[in-house]
Amino acid sequence: MKDIKSYLTQIKENSDYQYLEHIPVQFLTEKKLENFLKARFEEKNNAIFLNSKPYHLVIEPTNACNLGCPLCPTGLGASSRKKGVMKFDLFKKIIDETHETTLELFFQNWGEPSLVSNLPEMIHYASERGIWTSLSTNFSRKYKNGFLEKLIESGLGLLHIDVDGTTQEVYEKYRRKGDLSLVLANTRKCV
């Protein structure tokens, strides 16, 4: 079995390093990198039957949102899916089944992840299982019960905050129902 350094050298030679250069080395294992190489080979060769496992996951902890962004099916009310929140037991099951090969996990899609009260616990669980995490949020909420403190201490790898303007007038053209001053206050609190 190769070591991590050998895998990274091979990945750089294959021009695939761009897909994982942002992931800290403590989240890389030989098994994950071996799977990554296998998956990239299958992707490049348009394989129909796969031997690799997922190395990148996107989980939507809720499909509800507090804003009404005009290009989002949720914001437009165009999604016919029933609104709900992922149960922590289901989340743990997914992580337990994939953590050996998953390099990164993104919390995002058509819902606002920070509407889920146990989101910091989800992030912490994934991080403790060796998965690098990223969160995309509109951050336009009044958070309670130390939510932001728990979020920052959860092991989150990247916090992506959606800001589409530097004045409320410009910001709300896309982030309808959003409050720029609240987003900035939440950001300051996290910093």
Side-chain angles (χ1 to χ4, degrees):
M1 187 173 243
K2 294 182 181 180
D3 64 5
I4 291 175
K5 191 173 182 178
S6 298
Y7 279 115
L8 290 174
T9 299
Q10 184 178 351
I11 290 166
K12 287 177 184 177
E13 289 170 359
N14 292 345
S15 302
D16 287 333
Y17 191 62
Q18 64 184 337
Y19 295 103
L20 50 94
E21 64 186 343
H22 59 284
I23 301 173
V25 70
Q26 67 260 30
F27 293 97
L28 304 177
T29 66
E30 293 170 14
K31 187 169 186 174
K32 287 181 183 189
L33 295 176
E34 180 181 10
N35 179 69
F36 173 79
L37 282 167
K38 189 184 299 183
R40 289 296 299 144
F41 178 81
E42 291 171 345
E43 288 173 45
K44 290 174 185 175
N45 290 289
N46 298 315
I48 295 172
F49 299 101
L50 305 178
N51 292 309
S52 64
K53 305 284 186 200
Y55 63 87
H56 171 101
L57 295 179
V58 177
I59 291 183
E60 181 179 60
T62 183
N63 61 342
C65 189
N66 55 319
L67 301 187
C69 303
L71 296 178
C72 175
T74 303
L76 287 171
S79 176
S80 60
R81 295 185 303 158
K82 181 182 175 188
K83 300 292 184 232
V85 173
M86 178 180 276
K87 298 205 180 310
F88 192 62
D89 287 343
L90 175 58
F91 177 80
K92 284 174 55 174
K93 183 179 187 301
I94 293 168
I95 297 306
D96 290 344
E97 290 178 3
T98 63
H99 75 94
E100 291 182 344
T101 57
T102 299
L103 289 162
E104 59 187 339
L105 166 61
F106 287 81
F107 289 92
Q108 62 196 47
N109 206 15
W110 292 346
E112 171 49 43
S114 72
L115 292 174
V116 178
S117 61
N118 64 348
L119 177 67
E121 289 81 7
M122 289 177 160
I123 294 168
H124 180 75
Y125 191 79
S127 181
E128 286 292 309
R129 299 291 280 166
I131 300 173
W132 188 84
T133 56
S134 174
L135 168 67
S136 181
T137 175
N138 64 49
F139 238 30
S140 189
R141 296 193 56 227
K142 290 183 181 178
Y143 297 103
K144 299 176 184 174
N145 302 325
F147 181 88
L148 291 177
E149 291 81 1
K150 290 177 190 172
L151 182 67
I152 295 304
E153 295 171 359
S154 68
L156 181 64
L158 175 70
L159 175 61
H160 177 101
I161 302 167
D162 303 319
V163 179
D164 299 289
T166 57
T167 66
Q168 179 64 29
E169 179 184 20
V170 172
Y171 170 79
E172 68 188 8
K173 285 183 180 179
Y174 186 75
R175 301 288 167 188
R176 295 182 183 158
K177 300 187 224 169
D179 181 346
L180 180 60
S181 63
L182 185 56
V183 174
L184 296 176
N186 287 334
T187 303
R188 284 186 202 96
K189 190 168 186 180
C190 286
V191 169

